[in-house]
Amino acid sequence: MADALLAGRLALVTGAGRGIGRATALALAASGARVVAVARTAGDLETLTEETGGQVTPLVADVGDPDFHRRIEAMDGLDILVNNAGGNRPKMMVDVDDDTLDWMIDLNIRSVYKVARAAVRAMKRGGVIVNMSSQMGHVGSPKRTVYCMTKHAVEGLTKAMAVELAPAGIRVVSVAPTFVLTPMTAPMFEDPEFKRFVYDMVPMNDLPVPDDVAQAIVFLASSRARFVTGDSLRIDGGWTAR
């Protein structure tokens, strides 16, 4: 039954080349969905189709590109959007330059909004939008003023979209992970002080891997979560419960 949970659904996943996005594309495909996996680098996508027996179609695109937004709008029967692409450049607030500020706002807010808007226009029979937030969308943290600001914006967007789009049969939710163990985050944990800070904040004294987040997304995208909208699922091991 689990393999057919999303059978017949068409899903779009941004930032699907690595980490959480890649794990999500694989998990959605394993649950029966046809998946369009989006990333800027073709090399990050080339093995996805092989791994899923053709369930995943790679698409090289930039989430800020208007041509990409038009392609989404033209998709026939889009059912699921996983609005995953995003980024961070940790700096103390007084050291944040305008280029960093603009880059993060453009990637974490503007592109999230524009991709979601395009997806709504393509969802002719209802659907589900999962926005990638963070535990930092619920709390604050040093060196993450801009990141926290953008993820709080994602949480507000999720709530407002959920209310507005419910009559159209579109559910909108967010997932809010803590630090996830990936090749990208591994160098951060080579700093003993940072590693101690993070693990001390998590009551479970552990960190999730990408598939932990991906499986939560599968649940939220499925009919098992049919009455869940406008909410944020925190995958943080208890960080924000303190």
Side-chain angles (χ1 to χ4, degrees), residues 201-204 235-242:
M201 291 296 292
V202 180
M204 290 182 70
I235 310 167
D236 67 358
W239 182 310
T240 60
R242 288 187 180 276

Side-chain angles (χ1 to χ4, degrees), residues 145-160:
T145 54
V146 182
Y147 188 72
C148 288
M149 176 178 70
T150 62
K151 293 305 183 178
H152 275 72
V154 169
E155 293 292 350
L157 173 63
T158 298
K159 291 181 177 70

Side-chain angles (χ1 to χ4, degrees), residues 11 19 35 39 49 52 63 69 71 75 79 84 87 96 105 116 124 127 131 147 154 157-158 168 179-180 194 199 222:
V35 181
T49 299
T52 60
V63 291
H69 305 152
R71 291 187 70 169
M75 292 180 72
D79 298 296
N84 170 68
V96 174
I105 290 173
K124 307 300 185 185
N131 290 322
Y147 188 72
V154 169
L157 173 63
T158 298
F179 294 91
V180 178
F194 177 78
Y199 277 81
S222 77

Side-chain angles (χ1 to χ4, degrees), residues 60-142:
V60 178
D62 189 310
V63 291
D65 186 352
D67 286 340
F68 173 56
H69 305 152
R70 285 189 283 270
R71 291 187 70 169
I72 298 174
E73 291 181 22
M75 292 180 72
D76 184 19
L78 181 63
D79 298 296
I80 300 165
L81 166 66
V82 181
N83 215 352
N84 170 68
N88 188 20
R89 293 176 182 171
K91 293 184 179 184
M92 297 298 289
M93 183 182 184
V94 294
D95 297 326
V96 174
D97 56 276
D98 286 349
D99 285 344
T100 296
L101 178 63
D102 292 343
W103 176 79
M104 290 182 65
I105 290 173
D106 283 347
L107 179 58
N108 291 357
I109 300 177
R110 289 178 62 86
S111 72
V112 168
Y113 191 99
K114 290 183 177 183
V115 169
R117 183 177 63 189
V120 169
R121 291 170 177 171
M123 289 179 171
K124 307 300 185 185
R125 57 188 184 193
V128 182
I129 295 174
V130 182
N131 290 322
M132 182 56 63
S133 181
S134 165
Q135 67 181 20
M136 298 302 173
H138 298 273
V139 295
S141 189

Side-chain angles (χ1 to χ4, degrees), residues 164-218:
E164 181 174 318
L165 298 173
I170 298 175
R171 293 191 295 108
V172 187
V173 292
S174 67
V175 289
T178 185
F179 294 91
V180 178
L181 291 173
T182 68
M184 185 175 69
T185 62
M188 299 166 59
F189 291 100
E190 293 175 2
D191 177 352
E193 184 177 348
F194 177 78
K195 182 177 181 179
R196 184 167 55 252
F197 162 72
V198 170
Y199 277 81
D200 284 350
M201 291 296 292
V202 180
M204 290 182 70
N205 195 37
D206 196 4
L207 293 179
V209 296
D211 196 55
D212 292 319
V213 183
Q215 294 302 325
I217 291 171
V218 169

